[in-house]
Amino acid sequence: MLPAERLILTNARILTMDAGLTEHARGWIALERDRIVARGDGAPPEGRQQDMGGDLVMPGMVNPHCHMPMTL
C-alpha cells in the first residue's frame, strides 16, 4: 500500500479499548499502511473502501495467555 493510500473499512461493528469502551454499530476505520488513523460513525473519509458486511472489528487479544479459555 502506498504511504498516501488509505484503506477504509466500512459497515463494521467496531469495539474499541478507549476509556469509555466505545462501540460503533455501523462504523468505519481508516488505515494508512499498518496504522489506524481514524474511526467513527457516519460518512467515511475518502479512500479505497472495503465493505465489512457488519463484521466485528476489535483489537487483537490482550494478554491471552490465561484469559482466552475463559471465553469458551
Side-chain angles (χ1 to χ4, degrees):
M1 188 181 307
L2 298 173
E5 186 179 356
R6 274 191 173 180
L7 173 61
I8 314 297
L9 304 179
T10 62
N11 189 25
R13 179 176 173 208
I14 302 168
L15 301 179
T16 70
M17 293 303 293
D18 63 10
L21 298 176
T22 305
E23 179 178 343
H24 301 282
R26 287 283 185 252
W28 54 265
I29 298 176
L31 305 169
E32 286 182 5
R33 292 188 178 206
D34 61 350
R35 304 266 183 214
I36 295 173
V37 295
R39 65 172 163 77
D41 291 316
E46 294 293 319
R48 184 171 50 100
Q49 296 188 3
Q50 180 173 334
D51 186 334
M52 300 303 292
D55 287 346
L56 176 64
V57 178
M58 63 185 213
M61 293 300 194
V62 177
N63 193 15
H65 67 277
C66 66
H67 303 285
M68 201 170 229
M70 294 176 189
T71 64
L72 299 177

